[in-house]
Amino acid sequence: MMDGPDVGWYLIVAAILFGIGALGVMLRRSPLIVLLSLEIMLNAANLTLIAFARQQGDLDGQIFALAVMAVAAAEVAIGLGLIVAMARRRMLLDVDQASALRG
Amino acid sequence: MIDTPTVDWLALSPTIALLAAAGVALLSALLAGWMRKSVAGIAALLGFVGAAVCAGVVFDESSTPEVLLEGTMVRDQLAALAQLVLGVTGAVVVLASWSERRRENHAEYYALLATAGAGMVFFVGADNLMTLFLGLEWFSLCLYILVAIDSERETSLEAGLKYLIVGGFGSSVLLFGSALVYGATSELSFPAIAAADASNDAFLYAGLAMILAGLAFKVSAAPFHMWTPDVYQGSPTSITGFMAAATKTAAFVVTLRVLVTAFPAQEDLWTVTVAVLAAISLVWGNLGALAQRDLKRILAYSSISHAGFMLMAIAAFSDRGAEALLYYLIPYSAMSVGAFAVVAARERELNAPVTLDSLAGMGWERPYYGVALWIFMLGMAGFPLTGGMFGKLFVFSAAYDAGDWWLVLLGVAATAVSLGYYLNVVRWLYMRSGAELRLAPAGGSPPRDPALGIAISASVVVTVGSFFVVQPILDVASDAAGSLPF
Amino acid sequence: MIAGAWVCLLSPLAGAVAITLAGGRISRRTAGWISTLTTFVAFGGALIAFFGLWGEGHGDREHISTAYTWLESGDFEVEFQILVDTLSSTMMLIVSGVGGLIVWYSMGYLAGDDEERRYFAYMSLFVFSMLLLVQAGNFLLLLAGWGLVGLASYLLIGFWHHKPEAVAAAKKAFVMNAIGDATLALGLVLLVWETGTLEYLGVFEDLDSLSTTTVNLVAVGLLGGAVAKSAQIPLHTWLPDAMEGPTPVSALIHAATMVTAGVYLLVRASPVFEAAPDVQHLAAILGAITLLVAGVVALVQWDIKRVIAYSTMSQIGYMFVAAGIGAYGYALFHLMTHAFFKALLFMSAGVVIHHLGGEQDIRRMGGLRSVMPRTHLAFLVGGLSLAGIPIFAGFWSKDGIVAAAFASGDTLGYTLWVAGLVGALLTGAYTFRLYFTVFRGEPSELVTAQAHEGHGEGPLSMLIPVGVLSVLATIGGLVVIPGVWEPFLHWIDETAEPLVMASVAEDYGTSAIAVTLALIGAGLAHRAFRSQRQVITNPRIWHVLEHKLYFDELYDALFYRPSASVSNALRRNIEEPVVERSLDEIGSGTIQVGGEVGRVQSGLLRTYAVAIAFSVAVLVVVFVAVR
Amino acid sequence: MWTTALLLLPLAGALVVAILPLPRESTAGLAFLVALGEVALWIAAAGRFDFDDGGLQLGTTREWVESLGISYSVGFYGFSLWLAGATVIVFAAAIGYGMWVGRDRSRAYHALMLFLLGAVVATFAAQDLLLFYVSFEAMLIPLYVLVGVWGGERRQAATVTFVIYTMAGSLLMLASVVAFGVTQGTFSLTESGTSDNVWIFLGFAIAFAVKAPLFPFHGWLPLAYREAPVEVAAVLSAIVSKTAIYGFLRIGIPKFPEPADDLSGLILVLACAGLVYGSLLAFRAPDLRGVIAYSSMAQMSLITIGVFAFDDLGLDGAVLQSVAHAFVSASMFLLVGMVERRCGTSDIDALGGMARGRPSLATVVLVAGMIALAVPGSATFAGEFLIMAGAYQQGWGYSVVVALGIVLAAMYTLRVISAILHVKPGRAVRDEALDLRPGELALVLPLLLLLLGLSVWPALVSESAFAASTLAELLP
Amino acid sequence: MGNVLVWITWFLAAAACLGTGVAVVSMTNPFYSALSLIGNLASLAVLFLLLSAEFLAAAQVLVYAGAVMVMFLFVVAYLGGRADAPWAGGPPLLRAAAVVAAVALLVEIVVVLGLAWGDDLTDPAEVSDSFGSPAEIGEAFLTDHLLAFEITSIVLLVAAIGGVVLGTTREKEEEVA
């Protein structure tokens, strides 16, 4: 028996968060904010994992979430590295401008 | 005191070989300039070769699949075969990268290459959703860096950024799907998911859909493929080859494994979906390639269409389909790596991106490379005397056997369209003389590059060899497919 | 005897091959001699075969000799075999005999031509083919010979290949003959299916078991071949044009031998035609029409050879009439005498043309009698024979045919009889119109001019054959004197039993009328010549006749132009725009679609994300909905 | 063994020619020697062939892909041995022609020609469905480059259209191969049974229809035949097209008796349409190559009529006609090539009058032309007659169309002959244009002599084409 | 029927979480976005706590919000004004499509939730107090999920290398430029 809301409510929060993150990726032009949006999506997934872990009383979900955190951190690190490299090449930090590769 | 889990070192040996190689390569950064490159390169080469050898041993030792480490990974012939392919592919890529014009970062380059290889080698043995996700991220992160490693080229950075962001998006979807599946079954490991009774659970289906989408992203199946042309074009050419061959191999083997081991009960749904994805990929990839001028881009679209063919094999959901897929991967990997190696050679010669125009007359000036590219193009188009033909044949047989005759017809039509660009490459190679075009090289001898030559030769041997030596390969593929519970 | 037949067949072939292989290594004269001698050797072989046969008993004059199986398929076999019987041995004699003379004549006629060697090779090939045609032991081999004579005819008509008219005429001849070949072949196909064999004897034995329709169709097929080859209406237009070839060719092929092959076929296949009487009568009717039409048209032609060519058509018309009513002996008899006198006429005409340096227009001739007395005599003999004046060869054969028509009775028979008689009138008219215009009167400008420069009456090689033929044209008809002496007819009857036999009275009665009419015709011609007018005075009729009743124009409008315009239309409206361009269209269309695909791949990262999100959404909807 | 040797010799020759860095003449000479060796080998093989039997002989079988029932299985029937014979001879002439004109990039050129030879022989020898497909496709590889590199001005368009078009057909066949093999459990032609699936049959039929080509699948033909180097065009029309006939004879009909029978009406109608259509287009084509190209189409339609006549007359006729047409078409194309070399064009308007002073050319063109138009007595006539007779069983109309074809053939062939030889010299014909050289004669004459020989004795081919047992399979 | 306090905490945390999420996505200045993300992570940590994932909550705050986001802020600061890119923009169709796609995804997941809620979401498992504690997490990590642990470290190493490779190259060029 859980105190407070059902796991379902957490899941709804997670789902909305995932949607917000996805919207961020799809709408924003600044790669930095896109990166942040990705983080939000990963975190939404994490919340889902943890909620299910709680629901099932199974620790695997939490472990998974922990690993995801590391991965998310790594992704941010690499993303930032890229953005810095781009900035040094004096490239515009705008994903809409990064379209030399097309067709 | 907690029980230390028993670790099956043999199963991990390919991964470890590559990680060790990566370590050595990374350490070589401390060495002087010229040594740095050779030490790192040789380490990576040895790592990949070692991984291949270890994979061979594993294959030999694992006639029955064995689940390891609480169901996080599995040691079976399917993984071993994939590892073998990955190892060889990686070794060829190392050779092809040997004389890449990169002034620094050799150590990191080879270290990352080996690490990416290790990730893939691990990935194909993943047996639960967590290792699946982590393995995927492992090699993907390496690839994000590798794609952008030519940071003096803006296109390289652009490709890296695109790959990173779209890739991150894809992995989030995969992750969310995994979470849903986990929620539905409270299990992470594939066989347990299959065993859990959740045959009508909305979470499970939604999760499966998202996992499928995430994997489709990695195999660059349409409509999840859109990053592919851009990234393939922008990356350093050898890395493109690596992605085209190795990433695809790894992702396809895992897709097959996940769908077959974890979701056999949902078979009726995902086979159709995969078939539809295959169809879309065939159409999109082939049509897209037709209008391209840049060779890497053409090959990128072509890889999308090949993804379509391989998805056909998965959609068959049968022994025969699995065999077909595994067979297909072998010549396909060789052809892609080989083709990109030739592109790399031309690129180095001209010091410019390789477009169709810059191929003009190459067939006559550089007969060996020309013939090799010709063979790869024919192979991709599925002409006889290359394994590509048998690949298509097996895939078609599997699809037909599974009742997807419409897919066979579509495959046929797609192949016919694909001739339009494969043969176009050959046309530019031989039927336009370089003299007619300003872009052509000044003649003279190209940079000597024995390593590249070896890489191309190896690819040619595999491409052509897999045509003549079909049965042994098929036996191996059949053993590997036997690891899966059909 | 059989050996003689084989020698007869193969010797001209050997000649042709020898000349071809020798190429430029032998002189032109040698080539001529090879050709002439091999043809005479063939004649020798024919004589051996003939006398061998002569010596046989009455019922045994039929011998088949098979060399090997030429074509085989399943149960169907066609052997390379020759049949020697009274019919074929007669034809062998005519072909090789007349052929030999004409080849010999050619040596003189063509002396100095550029490509004599080629000419003689062709001639030998022709003689071989013709012999193959007449000696063939089955229908398919006959068709082979049939086609090969057509080929030789094509080659020889177009011998002067730099002349556009000659080339066109050669093509026309070949194509028209090909039509005949095709119908003949179709007839044979029917026979193959219905009787399982193409051997004459086998076919004739099985005829009873065939349905009437089948037999009729087969007969029509054969008749088609015969009509084309023998230049009967409606497939006749090639023959006048064929006169573009060298004159000896006209003499040999387009008068004496090849064109009469149709008659040979009618006789050879008489059992088939007898089983299909309607078709046989059709042959007779076509013959009658041809003989009249050709006779009329011959009245208005200006080209000496064309006049003779029309007369040839007309005479073959007689033969068709004979074969059509079943008077096979007379058909063959007329064939033989016609070979003599028509060859003679052509060769005399050839001498004239030769002398005049190639001039063929009779309006520029005249008064040649004094300049070329021997030729004049020969031509006159030929003309008399042609017109059917008694004791000359043509008299015996033609009148026999007309009488037989009368004897066969019925409306058809009488009609044919009338046609034959009118034909006799016409023959007299056009023959003597020609004769008077060319030989009588004052020498024309051209003739005077050429009197000193011309070739005279030609070398011995020309004169001797002309002489021999003059003799034959005079006395050659004496092998049949109705009621008195008819060995020739009996000889032929052994192979082809006649359906009709005129009584002596009918015969002599008809002859009297015919000769009278012929003389009237000659008189008309003479009167016209004296008054410097033409036989036909109505200008409108003249015009129509001069255009050969517009047959050429008609065929041009009916066949050539439609087929050409259909071809052009196909090319312009289907092949190029549809078949060829559709490929381009499909190709460029696909590439265009490919370009659209490229446009969707805009390089905009966010589109990619949207696409993926959308696809994921769809996938999830489907999965959740369908589960 | 013999069959394998026949197959490997040209392939090995191709490899050697490609690798040995010899000067141009020696390369060509070597290739020519290999081609002649192949002819000798064929004669030796034919010597070991029991023509009275006519069934599958000289066979070899090796496992290839056991699990799918694919094997390397080769051998000859009477008819395929004849087709292979025509192949080796025509190729010897074509390679000889390449040598004579001195094609540049000699090593590549001759290697490709030899490779093509090997592929074609393999096609005719294949007794395994997949091997058949493989060799059928393998032919396209060299053809693509041969046309595309050594062809005329629009060679690139020609080669792309040709290869994509034919490959599209063959890919349909691949689908059918798959379907048939999978259903049967084996790809071996000797072991597999029959199928009554119309769709599978259609896959094969379309592939063959494109290759032959039959109306309306001939879109690639005009350009390819016009732009290919003549000897390649010769090989294309003389030999490569016959693989379609082999396909029908070995696969299309015996493996699909019912569908073949059901659809024979359609195919016959298409073939008749093709015969008339091709002949009419040939009649008005503006250039020599066009005439021969379309005539080739007409002839292939004719042969198809023979095949689908479904009786021994038609079948024997089809084989006889295939062999005869191979020689005819090859010699016609080579002759056109020789004319083109002298005049630089094959435009009918620009040619003419070449007979004067060029007796060899005139004779050879005439002989070839006469046999091409199937003058009665020739081998082609024998073939056409058998086909005409055979087709009668399926309907008298077909025989009539064949007869019409004979007439039309006379029309267009005479046009070609006259266009080259007769009347006044055309504007492209210069006085210096020589008669055929001995080298050229040496290439064309053997073909013509073979044709004449075949005319003297057509039964040689027609009676040994099929064994009774083979026929039983072919007659539904 | 649950504890009201928990409900209130949940509600606050959830609201904060979504609010900051929206803020991250909608701020023009990446600096504020990053700051919002920190808030987001923190509120997520609260939710984690409510779900008995104490260790994770701690890790979330320390590692994520603490380390990663700080790094992020440094980068934003380093890039300065150049970091700004206009909001959204691009073809309106694209924007609309993006919104539609996101909403579709969201709606689906919610529907799925609704479908699944009835069966098994109302009745969570009983868990011990130590559930989610560092000890248990640690044990699981080192036994069952040893590989995951190892991989995590490799991934982080890769990230480090990546940061170095991408971030430090071409100093010279920059000086020249």
Side-chain angles (χ1 to χ4, degrees), chain C residues 376-584:
Chain C
H376 164 251
L377 192 62
F379 195 93
L380 187 59
V381 168
L384 291 170
S385 189
L386 171 60
I389 305 303
I391 85 130
F392 291 101
F395 164 74
W396 305 104
S397 54
K398 187 165 70 182
D399 290 358
I401 292 174
V402 182
F406 186 83
S408 73
D410 238 336
T411 325
L412 178 71
Y414 299 133
T415 318
L416 292 176
W417 180 71
V418 172
L421 291 176
V422 174
L425 174 75
L426 291 170
T427 310
Y430 66 69
T431 309
F432 283 92
R433 167 178 173 261
L434 187 63
Y435 167 76
F436 288 126
T437 320
V438 174
F439 288 97
R440 294 304 186 95
E442 292 302 306
S444 71
E445 272 178 46
L446 180 71
V447 171
T448 358
Q450 290 285 333
H452 309 291
E453 298 165 23
H455 294 77
E457 297 198 64
L460 267 188
S461 61
M462 288 165 78
L463 286 180
I464 296 174
V466 170
V468 173
L469 283 171
S470 302
V471 173
L472 286 173
T474 314
I475 60 162
L478 296 177
V479 289
V480 176
I481 298 172
V484 182
W485 152 257
E486 302 175 325
F488 186 88
L489 296 182
H490 296 310
W491 181 252
I492 297 298
D493 291 351
E494 276 184 49
T495 303
E497 195 63 37
L499 300 177
V500 56
M501 201 65 215
S503 68
V504 177
E506 287 169 334
D507 224 323
Y508 285 99
T510 306
S511 284
I513 305 173
V515 171
T516 316
L517 284 171
L519 289 175
I520 294 173
L524 285 174
H526 187 244
R527 212 183 61 177
F529 175 70
R530 290 281 297 277
S531 54
Q532 299 288 323
R533 283 188 297 111
Q534 285 303 317
V535 182
I536 289 176
T537 44
N538 183 326
R540 204 171 294 164
I541 296 177
W542 178 271
H543 196 72
V544 171
L545 291 179
E546 202 173 23
H547 285 87
K548 301 160 246 168
L549 300 179
Y550 295 102
F551 268 106
D552 278 331
E553 287 79 359
L554 181 72
Y555 288 171
D556 196 49
L558 271 184
F559 303 112
Y560 179 83
R561 255 186 276 166
S563 69
S565 60
V566 166
S567 315
N568 284 336
L570 284 179
R571 185 154 64 88
R572 265 187 234 114
N573 301 326
I574 296 188
E575 184 70 4
E576 282 169 3
V578 181
V579 177
E580 286 182 41
R581 205 155 304 150
S582 65
L583 285 185
D584 298 349

Side-chain angles (χ1 to χ4, degrees), chain D residues 9 31 67-68 92 112 161 225 266 348 382 399 419:
Chain D
L9 176 66
S67 47
L68 281 173
L112 289 167
T161 342
Y225 282 17
L266 174 69
I348 281 178
S399 299

Side-chain angles (χ1 to χ4, degrees), chain B residues 320 364 374 378 383-385 390 393-394 397 400-401 412 416 419 423 427 431-432 467-468 470-471 474, chain D residues 64-68 105 115 130 134 137 141 144-145 148-149 155-156 163 167 171-172 174 178-179 182:
Chain B
R320 179 172 269 179
W364 301 115
W374 183 18
L378 292 180
F383 271 92
L385 305 188
F390 270 116
L393 178 86
F394 294 151
S397 327
Y400 183 79
D401 215 21
V412 162
L419 295 173
L423 291 182
R427 186 163 74 91
M431 299 169 204
R432 301 269 164 122
F467 174 81
F468 291 101
V470 182
Q471 191 57 46
L474 214 54
Chain D
W64 189 3
V65 188
E66 241 173 313
S67 47
L68 281 173
R105 288 168 174 150
F115 181 85
L130 199 83
V134 164
E137 288 296 77
I141 301 172
Y144 180 66
V145 180
V149 174
R155 58 183 186 275
Q156 300 196 20
V163 171
M167 182 87 181
L171 283 166
L172 276 181
L174 177 63
V178 166
V182 168

Side-chain angles (χ1 to χ4, degrees), chain C residues 68 70 72-73 161 193 575, chain D residues 277 294 316 389 423 456 462-463:
Chain C
Y68 62 96
W70 185 65
E72 183 178 355
S73 168
H161 49 67
W193 278 101
E575 184 70 4
Chain D
Y277 183 84
Y294 286 112
D316 289 343
V423 198
V456 172
S462 71
E463 72 178 333

Side-chain angles (χ1 to χ4, degrees), chain D residues 171-346:
Chain D
L171 283 166
L172 276 181
M173 177 165 91
L174 177 63
S176 286
V177 167
V178 166
F180 183 77
V182 168
T183 351
Q184 295 283 330
T186 177
F187 285 79
S188 161
L189 285 172
T190 44
E191 285 165 24
S192 58
T194 60
S195 159
D196 54 2
N197 188 322
V198 175
W199 297 104
I200 301 183
F201 171 73
L202 267 183
F204 283 109
I206 291 177
F208 300 148
V210 171
K211 199 72 148 200
L214 294 185
F215 183 83
F217 299 99
H218 65 281
W220 57 270
L221 172 136
L223 209 50
Y225 282 17
R226 281 197 177 109
E227 299 301 328
V230 270
E231 67 278 21
V232 175
V235 164
L236 259 181
S237 86
I239 297 301
V240 173
S241 59
K242 304 299 180 297
T243 57
I245 301 304
Y246 177 77
F248 275 128
L249 287 177
R250 187 70 194 91
I251 299 163
I253 299 174
K255 297 296 164 194
F256 301 91
E258 284 175 40
D261 198 22
D262 292 346
L263 289 179
S264 64
L266 174 69
I267 294 175
L268 281 170
V269 167
L270 284 186
C272 285
L275 177 55
V276 175
Y277 183 84
S279 301
L280 283 175
L281 282 175
F283 179 48
R284 298 304 294 171
D287 56 336
L288 295 181
R289 287 205 193 199
V291 178
I292 299 172
Y294 286 112
S295 85
S296 179
M297 174 185 169
Q299 290 296 312
M300 292 309 297
S301 305
L302 182 76
I303 296 172
T304 311
I305 294 176
V307 169
F308 281 86
F310 289 137
D311 52 39
D312 25 4
L313 291 173
L315 290 168
D316 289 343
V319 174
L320 175 58
Q321 186 69 0
S322 296
V323 173
H325 177 247
F327 295 141
V328 168
S329 179
S331 32
M332 285 307 266
F333 263 116
L334 292 187
L335 283 170
V336 167
M338 292 164 191
V339 169
E340 279 177 354
R341 259 170 78 73
R342 285 166 174 74
C343 308
T345 175
S346 79

Side-chain angles (χ1 to χ4, degrees), chain C residues 328-373:
Chain C
Y328 306 119
Y330 276 111
L332 253 284
F333 184 32
H334 195 52
L335 190 157
M336 181 178 79
T337 57
H338 175 254
F340 297 154
F341 65 70
K342 193 50 67 65
L344 175 63
L345 278 174
F346 264 119
M347 285 156 79
S348 316
V351 174
V352 170
I353 295 167
H354 195 62
H355 172 74
L356 295 181
E359 184 54 61
Q360 301 192 7
D361 192 330
I362 54 174
R363 282 170 294 191
R364 304 192 60 194
M365 300 178 186
L368 276 167
R369 185 172 61 152
S370 50
V371 188
M372 318 178 75

Side-chain angles (χ1 to χ4, degrees), chain D residues 373-431:
Chain D
L373 62 70
V375 68
S378 62
T380 39
F381 171 75
E384 285 188 13
F385 184 76
L386 285 180
I387 291 172
M388 196 198 276
Y392 179 76
Q393 199 207 25
Q394 292 271 343
W396 57 268
Y398 301 127
S399 299
V400 173
V401 173
V402 173
L404 179 64
I406 292 182
V407 176
L408 290 171
M411 289 166 69
Y412 63 70
T413 312
L414 293 179
R415 181 163 168 260
V416 167
I417 293 174
S418 294
I420 300 177
L421 298 179
H422 296 153
V423 198
K424 288 206 183 62
R427 60 171 187 279
V429 182
R430 283 162 306 138
D431 290 343

